Amino acid sequence: MSIKTISILGSTGSIGCSTLDVIEKTNNNFSNGIGDVKFEIVALTANRAHRQLIEQAKKFKPKMVVLVEKEHGDELISELKPLGIKISFGSDALIEAAQMQSDMIMAAIVGAAGLGPTIEAAKRGANILLANKECLVCAGEVFLKTAKQNGAKILPVDSEHNAIFQVLQNPNEVEKLILTASGGPFLNTNIDNLYNVTPEQAVAHPNWQMGRKISVDCASLMNKGLELIEASMLFEMPEDRIDVLIHPQSIIHSMVSYKDGSFLAQLGTPDMRIPISYCMGWPNRLQIDSPRLNLAQIRNLEFHAPDNNRFPALGLARLAMRLGGSATTILNAANEVAVNEFLNCKLPFMQIPTIVCKILDMAQGNGNIVALNDLSEVFNADEWARAKTFEELSK
Ligand code: NAD
Ligand code: MG
């Protein structure tokens, strides 16, 4: 029997809620004598969903909650203080939450905003359950070095990387990593029609329920581009040994091919609770009730090559990987700004990769692609790219 402590950065999001669901079911199993692990929550954090955070805190009784935007902070104070829960506000409080002692931290904030607190948890050697791929995309080398120096284990939550993590045997015998991609909602949309798609169409992912930002990235295939960078960092694999394969059913979550021609894959229903629970239970598996895969019912699994013409984001990510250093930070920052503008109906969908490409070109031309040695250099590159993207958008 063991009690594990966990903090969840971004508990009100899609990954955060799925994590709480796994915790609730695992703790119920524990009370019913099934399974020998129980989770206790140290900290929960949210950006501005104050009501949801209050309800989560009442149910799961963390030691601490953080709300970044303190607009409705008085409600947290009046409802949670009597329960003995510590309440903090602002982005500095995310660092405080990450520093609190816990066995593991679920890094589920969206975007580069997750970087600071996740690195803080790495500094104290916690197991990092990494959903926030931006840590590896924006600050891969700095983040990995911090984790290594402090003995923090990185456990990939992203389903593709979790699949590879599960089937990776001797890394020296690996030929290639093959990341699968559903292709998103516009897999079969004609290029002419891609110019007029709406945010609501873009976030309507066929297989996965996710936050709005990552959903748009799935629609543009930028998510797969970010995942190429993530895989390269995590598994120390060069860009030309990672392939992307469109697989609309999202049943095979990724594959590893070996030098003898063997391919190993991880399969499952598209349910993020599977990779989340794998990381939470590692090195053991937790008992969870996700719907079981029924291949006889699914019958057909399809695969084809991605269309780089309709989805230029993949090529941009590969270019950034080859350039190295700040290039992937810049790609990510420009994309975050552009996606936000698209979600606010201020930028057409197909302009997202166009603007990212422009900013990358500009960075190359101006000598802004440099090695990043510490977090402040990462934040400088991120800020530069955001400012340039806004400047370009205002033209
Ligand atoms: P989401 O938008 O549903 O949730 C984001 C969470 O982060 C929320 O709790 C929100 O309050 C918090 N947040 C947002 N901006 C913040 C800020 N500036 N400061 C502090 N907190 C902030 O996102 P999601 O879909 O859960 O994705 C979270 C991360 O996991 C992303 O990096 C995403 O790429 C990755 N991921 C998600 C999925 C998925 O299925 N949803 C799969 C793989 C990877
Ligand atoms: Mg993924």
Side-chain angles (χ1 to χ4, degrees), residues 114-133:
L115 193 54
T118 309
I119 288 216
E120 213 51 43
K123 282 188 198 159
R124 64 173 174 83
N127 274 7
I128 311 287
L129 285 46
L130 191 70
N132 179 279
K133 61 192 83 184

Side-chain angles (χ1 to χ4, degrees), residues 66-378:
V66 173
L67 185 66
V68 175
E69 302 284 340
K70 61 159 111 174
E71 198 188 340
H72 297 281
D74 47 340
E75 290 179 46
L76 263 79
I77 293 170
S78 68
E79 295 186 48
L80 300 182
K81 216 157 199 168
L83 303 177
I85 297 172
K86 180 175 161 52
I87 302 153
S88 295
F89 302 105
S91 47
D92 287 349
L94 293 171
I95 303 286
E96 197 190 327
Q99 285 170 338
M100 283 182 77
Q101 192 50 44
S102 67
D103 296 319
M104 57 187 90
I105 195 145
M106 169 55 79
I109 290 175
V110 61
L115 193 54
T118 309
I119 288 216
E120 213 51 43
K123 282 188 198 159
R124 64 173 174 83
N127 274 7
I128 311 287
L129 285 46
L130 191 70
N132 179 279
K133 61 192 83 184
E134 293 84 353
C135 282
L136 289 166
V137 173
C138 309
E141 278 153 24
V142 175
F143 178 58
L144 290 171
K145 196 169 85 188
T146 308
K148 196 170 175 186
Q149 278 171 350
N150 297 287
K153 175 85 186 162
I154 297 172
L155 298 156
V157 170
D158 210 351
S159 57
E160 297 76 3
H161 307 73
N162 188 270
I164 291 170
F165 185 68
Q166 291 197 39
V167 300
L168 196 60
Q169 297 179 342
N170 188 348
N172 299 327
E173 294 174 347
V174 171
E175 201 160 69
K176 277 194 167 184
L177 306 180
I178 299 121
L179 297 179
T180 52
S182 69
F186 306 137
L187 175 60
N188 299 311
T189 306
N190 187 292
I191 192 159
D192 297 329
N193 297 332
L194 280 180
Y195 290 88
N196 300 320
V197 295
T198 64
E200 289 326 303
Q201 288 172 311
V203 300
H205 196 280
N207 306 340
W208 300 94
Q209 287 288 327
M210 303 176 288
R212 288 168 74 79
K213 194 275 176 177
I214 184 177
S215 297
V216 174
D217 285 345
C218 286
S220 69
L221 285 200
M222 183 56 93
N223 182 52
K224 211 50 56 180
L226 301 180
E227 290 183 355
L228 278 169
I229 302 165
E230 184 184 8
S232 167
M233 285 286 165
L234 265 179
F235 305 114
E236 296 178 31
M237 194 58 71
E239 178 267 321
D240 59 356
R241 283 174 59 201
I242 316 176
D243 288 349
V244 170
L245 183 65
I246 302 291
H247 165 44
Q249 291 80 14
S250 301
I251 297 298
I252 294 185
H253 296 304
S254 277
M255 295 180 257
V256 178
S257 72
Y258 291 90
K259 65 181 187 184
D260 63 353
S262 294
F263 282 60
L264 298 191
Q266 184 260 352
L267 287 72
T269 46
D271 180 345
M272 285 307 292
R273 289 174 305 170
I274 299 174
I276 288 170
S277 71
Y278 186 83
C279 295
M280 288 172 61
W282 184 86
N284 303 310
R285 289 178 193 268
L286 302 178
Q287 178 77 42
I288 68 161
D289 64 352
S290 72
R292 290 333 192 218
L293 190 57
N294 184 337
L295 285 173
Q297 211 167 52
I298 295 166
R299 291 170 65 95
N300 293 316
L301 297 182
E302 298 161 73
F303 306 94
H304 51 88
D307 178 347
N308 293 320
N309 188 30
R310 280 186 308 143
F311 301 106
L314 273 183
L316 291 172
R318 287 194 183 278
L319 169 66
M321 285 165 87
R322 288 192 301 269
L323 292 170
S326 57
T328 57
T329 321
I330 290 168
L331 170 101
N332 179 72
N335 182 61
E336 276 190 29
V337 172
V339 168
N340 204 37
E341 294 292 293
F342 166 69
L343 282 170
N344 291 327
C345 299
K346 291 185 190 152
L347 189 75
F349 181 72
M350 286 303 274
Q351 284 292 315
I352 301 173
T354 307
I355 193 93
V356 173
C357 181
K358 250 191 192 158
I359 304 301
L360 261 186
D361 277 351
M362 214 180 273
Q364 280 188 82
N366 295 352
N368 281 85
I369 311 283
V370 292
L372 300 175
N373 300 304
D374 57 36
L375 210 48
S376 69
E377 292 183 6
V378 172

Side-chain angles (χ1 to χ4, degrees), residues 8 42 44 68 195 219 227 384:
I8 307 177
V42 175
L44 295 177
V68 175
Y195 290 88
E227 290 183 355
W384 177 87

